[in-house]
């Protein structure tokens, strides 16, 4: 699902379909794929869902395998740099809740 989501996002093999990519990343992240959670969070952030996007990116970074940490950290840092302090604080609290609840 993660790889298919990336294909839809980039248009690899056909047209881009961000909505389909979003749904595939969501499904894959629900199964515990940290990369999918990062991509899902980035798409949320890009579409104005700042807090949920930041929280998802942070949770993805916490769950990521060593080989994925650099690209996820880069994505998370870029989003945090654009967000306001209140949104960052709320997102960190939400990321902690996500970690406890396993989402």
């Amino acid at each position: 699902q993660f790889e298919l989501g990336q294909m839809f996002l980039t248009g690899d093999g056909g047209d881009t379909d961000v909505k389909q990519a979003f749904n595939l990343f969501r499904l894959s992240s629900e199964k515990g794929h940290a990369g999918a959670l990062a991509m899902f969070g980035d798409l949320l952030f890009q579409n104005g869902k700042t807090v949920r996007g930041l929280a998802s990116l942070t949770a993805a970074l916490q769950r990521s395998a060593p080989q994925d940490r650099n690209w996820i950290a880069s994505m998370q840092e870029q989003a945090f740099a654009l967000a306001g302090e209140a949104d960052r604080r709320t997102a960190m609290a939400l990321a902690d809740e996500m970690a406890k609840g396993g989402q």
Side-chain angles (χ1 to χ4, degrees):
Q1 288 173 327
F2 173 71
E3 291 175 12
L4 189 57
Q6 288 201 341
M7 289 176 70
F8 275 111
L9 189 62
T10 62
D12 186 18
D15 294 332
T16 60
D17 187 339
V18 176
K19 187 174 182 176
Q20 185 66 19
F22 179 84
N23 288 328
L24 288 163
F25 290 141
R26 181 184 51 78
L27 290 171
S28 186
S29 70
E30 288 172 357
K31 295 177 183 173
H33 194 286
L37 183 57
M39 296 302 292
F40 177 70
D42 189 55
L43 288 172
L44 284 170
F45 184 82
Q46 290 178 32
N47 285 288
K49 299 191 183 331
T50 304
V51 171
R52 181 71 179 171
L54 292 174
S56 295
L57 284 161
T58 301
L61 183 58
Q62 292 169 350
R63 298 177 188 174
S64 64
Q67 67 269 19
D68 294 325
R69 285 201 180 107
N70 285 340
W71 71 266
I72 294 174
S74 176
M75 213 183 254
Q76 190 241 21
E77 289 167 5
Q78 288 176 7
F80 264 72
L82 296 172
E85 181 65 26
D87 286 340
R88 289 193 298 259
R89 287 180 190 267
T90 304
M92 294 301 291
L94 181 56
D96 288 342
E97 287 180 33
M98 290 170 71
K100 291 176 189 170
Q103 294 181 348

